[in-house]
Amino acid sequence: MDLVLCHTTADFDTLGAAVGLARLQPGRRIVLTGGCHPTVQRFLALYRDEYPLIERRAVDPQAIHALTLVDAQQAERFGPAAAWIAQVRERGVPVAIYDHHPAAPGATGAPGNPAPDGRSQGESQGEKSQDDEFQNNIVDEAVGAATTLVVEALQQASLTPTPAEATVMALGIHVDTGSLLYEAATARDAAALAWLMGHGASLSVIADFVEPGLSPRLQGLLTEALTALTVETVGGHTLAWVLLPIDRYIPGLSGLAERLIALADVDALLLGACYVSAAAASPAASSQASSGATLEPSEDREGDRDASPGGQRLILIGRTRGRLGDSVDWGQWLAALGGGGHPAAAAAMVTTADPLAVVQGLMAEARSHLPPQPTARDLMSSPVRTLRPDTTVGEAQRILLRYGHSGLSVVDGQGRLVGIISRRDLDLALHHGFGHAPVKGYMATSLKTITPDTPLAEIEHLMMAYDIGRLPVLEQTELIGIVTRTDLLRHRHRQSGAAAERLPQLQATRSLRHLLETSLSPLLQAILRQITAAAQERGWQLYLVGGAVRDLLICSDPATAALPDIDLVVDGLVDTTGAGVALATVVKERFPEVDLQVHGRFQTAALVWRKDLDHPLAGLMIDIATARTEFYPYPAANPEVEASSIQQDLYRRDFTINALALRLSDPGAGQLLDFFGGLMDLQQGVVRVLHAHSFIEDPTRIYRAVRFAVRLGFSLDAQTEGYIRHAMASGIYAQIQHQVKRAPALQVRLKNELKYLLEAPYWPEALARLDGLSALGCLHRDLTMTPPLWRQLRRLSRWGRRWASPDLPPPWLLRLEGLLAALPVAARRPLALALQLPDRSCDRLAHLDDFEQRWQALDPATAAPSVLHAAFSQADHATLLLASARHPRTLGPAIWQQLRQWGTTPPLVDGHQLRTWGYRPGPDFRPMLEALFAAQLDGLIASPAEAQGFLAQHYPQA
């Protein structure tokens, strides 16, 4: 067990550094050795499941194989875990330190403090070798935050954090550097923070948890503001406003607003501060007023001392938090008053005789734009995966791993909820050796539950107040769904428009509906509206998913976006296994010419407008599927599928850029669902896999990753490439190739992916990338792209175009045959059969070596044309092209002659001519004609008269 220890009373810096180290070395677990700061505790109440935390009491010190300390070097800073440090050092276990408080020269541990094993410096001096080794594992440099050192290590290793990891690391740097304002902050901290922002750190979350400092003058004003604050709840959202009288302008009011909205824990705040001033707004003040969110007007010191008959100077500062998105747009409303900013943070300065009326008018505007608050019904995952009380702890753990959950609901024989078992509960039970015990002995039975109508604010309050990771949703006594921390995080992510705005054609989330409408033909839009209406009538939610959404977002001109295939997913609160057929039937009734295809036990439907139809949508296919989750029972198997929610349906997909969904049904039509950072990866041009074991579960994803990267001009992110190399090095494919009966579906999927790659114009680059990843080993361990093989494939491509004919296989198949022909002879046909290639391709590969040997034995440089033609005529054109591409010097010229001349030369004489010359039809006609044609090819005859003479000499008439 590899552990990272956070010091007691953990702050964001020690937590952020620990999370980064866990990314640096997957498998590390994080231990909070003794309590957290209140803000960190509030943060973890929502985000705990995003990080590999383990309870201190679930750790067996004897099982520790490596230990890392973060943000401290003294053993006593790690509370009860200090004993572990001494124990592991005695066993020679490596101990590393990441700290931004450098130790004094020659000290083991911090200056003037005990050594990390708890002994004094004098006691430690007798063990120089141990201390020297300990010192070699220390990374302690004078930067503003320990997290900065870890971020730099991640950059050097080319590892990419998840958005949740980037967010907590950014919090660590923000808090320990005072958002880069403390004297200890360095340029390295700023660079690390910028890198984290570029990798998905959520500014709205950071704003929620960073507490800026206030001057003494502002601290007094904060107390006054808290006393005078008016708070109201409208539709589940909390709004607050306060109007403060001040004697003159006070710098830092924007910081006061930030602290006030955090302490009041409201969604939107309007802070007004008014004072009497005879001076008009200075040019500097006006400029800063229009600049936006950080309004800090210059003081007109002389003017502020005088009363003004023209009214009072009113400073207005508006703030909202992420959950409101752009609904409360302070930027727009304060811009109308001469100020500016953006929707969530703006400011203005006005002169008015009635400051209270101005503030109340702005608050009325805010109330009128509040969106309806989401309820549990909008957030929950459904259906709920459950256990029975007598399920063993070990089996429950396997189910958690299979489906990626952090907890499971436990129900009795009547389906009534009786408990919840969490991952932490299972970890502890397994640690104590109770994997065989039933979960009823470890599940929580004192449960907090909610109803479908419970609002978001109440859900968040319950989770934070009771540190609950999941809340069952009950309708009467029926368990209909569950809301987890992950569901809340996904909702927060959807509400943040920042990620969406990274793409130029996606100015705001609400523009997606317009983007879809401008990209589709009116007829296709009408069909989608029919399907959507049918889904809404049944209480289902309908989404456009996958590649269609991806291509809409990356197309610079939406009007030119092509959607050859459209994938729709239905998500509902009831059994929706027949949803695809039900919705497809609606379209089928209006368009009888459409083919309706039904697949699988989930009744997935496909609407196909055949290419031979005289119809504007000819060639279009619309798939309608039920939201599903899946798992692989063993590597490379067909996945086993179960009904689930849209979140789980997207989670089962391969890459982040394909795990996007656009909601078509109301409420929220046009909303983009991006749970995994797909938008950011599109913007950065990166293909990133969703799951660490994806390539072991399904190696065709390697080919898909390369195909998307080459087609879109993207790169594979470093971690994804590492997963591919790990999968190839694991030997899993060698095992699969010896178990063909277990993996026939794998070979078919590989063939389909190869078809997509080899028929595309970018096939050379795709093959080069696959070869660079050793991924052609998925087909055969000996298959690599050598220079001769490259030349062969290029010849095949050129000559396939030159000699195109109905007898030739399509170009992609000819290239694939060229690849397989590079394998040992005994491997060609079995692999072709496993890939389910056409019979002619299998036979061609099986006999190619025999043909090549026979032809080369003829010595094409000296053999007569008639002899070569007779030999070459035994094979089809594709075999000739394969042989010529593989043997361009020996067989190539002769085969070229066969294709260009010998095989197309018309004979001088036919059977009719023989009859006119008096020959009686019979068995001799065939050898006579063959002999004549051979003589013609060899240049012995060149006219019918010479042919007649040839016959008289060799076949005289009786």
Side-chain angles (χ1 to χ4, degrees), residues 594-654:
V594 174
D595 290 340
L596 174 59
Q597 303 172 359
V598 179
H599 308 285
R601 67 185 180 93
F602 282 92
Q603 300 290 285
T604 297
L607 293 163
V608 181
W609 283 259
R610 297 190 313 275
K611 292 184 178 180
D612 58 353
L613 291 175
D614 183 15
H615 192 278
L617 298 180
L620 174 73
M621 182 168 70
I622 298 179
D623 275 321
I624 310 176
T626 300
R628 298 165 288 174
T629 187
E630 65 184 28
F631 66 93
Y632 291 77
Y634 55 85
N638 273 335
E640 296 184 10
V641 182
E642 297 178 0
S644 188
S645 63
I646 184 63
Q647 292 96 329
Q648 287 295 319
D649 191 273
L650 295 175
Y651 183 68
R652 73 182 176 85
R653 296 171 187 270
D654 44 15

Side-chain angles (χ1 to χ4, degrees), residues 941-952:
I941 60 175
S943 66
E946 291 178 352
Q948 189 174 11
F950 179 88
L951 287 174

Side-chain angles (χ1 to χ4, degrees), residues 800-816:
R801 291 192 298 269
R802 170 65 177 81
W803 304 109
S805 73
D807 295 335
L808 276 182
W812 74 268
L813 185 53
L814 190 61
R815 293 179 187 124
L816 180 54

Side-chain angles (χ1 to χ4, degrees), residues 519-728:
S519 303
L520 303 181
S521 68
L523 180 57
L524 185 51
Q525 290 183 48
I527 292 172
L528 288 181
R529 283 195 293 269
Q530 290 179 57
I531 300 174
T532 302
Q536 292 183 165
E537 289 172 4
R538 292 162 173 80
W540 299 335
Q541 298 165 2
L542 187 67
Y543 299 89
L544 176 69
V545 299
V549 181
R550 177 199 67 226
D551 292 343
L552 277 173
L553 294 175
I554 63 177
C555 183
S556 58
D557 181 5
T560 66
L563 294 178
D565 295 328
I566 292 180
D567 293 325
L568 304 177
V569 167
V570 186
D571 187 9
L573 304 182
V574 295
D575 180 21
T576 54
T577 55
V581 177
L583 298 182
T585 303
V586 174
V587 179
K588 175 69 175 175
E589 291 173 353
R590 179 172 176 182
F591 299 95
E593 70 276 12
V594 174
D595 290 340
L596 174 59
Q597 303 172 359
V598 179
H599 308 285
R601 67 185 180 93
F602 282 92
Q603 300 290 285
T604 297
L607 293 163
V608 181
W609 283 259
R610 297 190 313 275
K611 292 184 178 180
D612 58 353
L613 291 175
D614 183 15
H615 192 278
L617 298 180
L620 174 73
M621 182 168 70
I622 298 179
D623 275 321
I624 310 176
T626 300
R628 298 165 288 174
T629 187
E630 65 184 28
F631 66 93
Y632 291 77
Y634 55 85
N638 273 335
E640 296 184 10
V641 182
E642 297 178 0
S644 188
S645 63
I646 184 63
Q647 292 96 329
Q648 287 295 319
D649 191 273
L650 295 175
Y651 183 68
R652 73 182 176 85
R653 296 171 187 270
D654 44 15
F655 308 108
T656 59
I657 60 174
N658 293 336
L660 298 165
L662 174 60
R663 185 166 180 166
L664 301 178
S665 53
D666 287 319
Q671 179 187 62
L672 181 70
L673 275 63
D674 174 24
F675 303 131
F676 311 109
L679 277 173
M680 180 181 298
D681 289 340
L682 283 177
Q683 189 268 341
Q684 294 180 345
V686 168
V687 175
R688 179 164 57 89
V689 74
L690 275 171
H691 313 289
H693 298 289
S694 277
F695 302 120
I696 289 178
E697 291 177 340
D698 185 356
T700 64
R701 287 175 175 156
I702 298 176
Y703 290 71
R704 285 170 59 79
V706 168
R707 175 159 60 90
F708 287 130
V710 176
R711 180 169 76 84
L712 301 174
F714 286 11
S715 62
L716 298 178
D717 96 294
Q719 194 165 53
T720 296
E721 183 172 330
Y723 289 148
I724 292 174
R725 296 189 183 280
H726 171 72
M728 294 307 306

Side-chain angles (χ1 to χ4, degrees), residues 70-87:
V70 289
D71 200 30
Q73 301 188 35
Q74 303 82 24
E76 68 270 22
R77 289 293 310 278
F78 299 91
W84 298 351
I85 303 173
Q87 292 174 24

Side-chain angles (χ1 to χ4, degrees), residues 110 188 252 467 479 503 569 575 629 654 706 747 870 891 907 909 929:
R188 291 169 63 184
D467 194 14
L479 178 64
L503 293 172
V569 167
D575 180 21
T629 187
D654 44 15
V706 168
Q747 306 294 5
L891 296 180
V909 176
L929 291 172

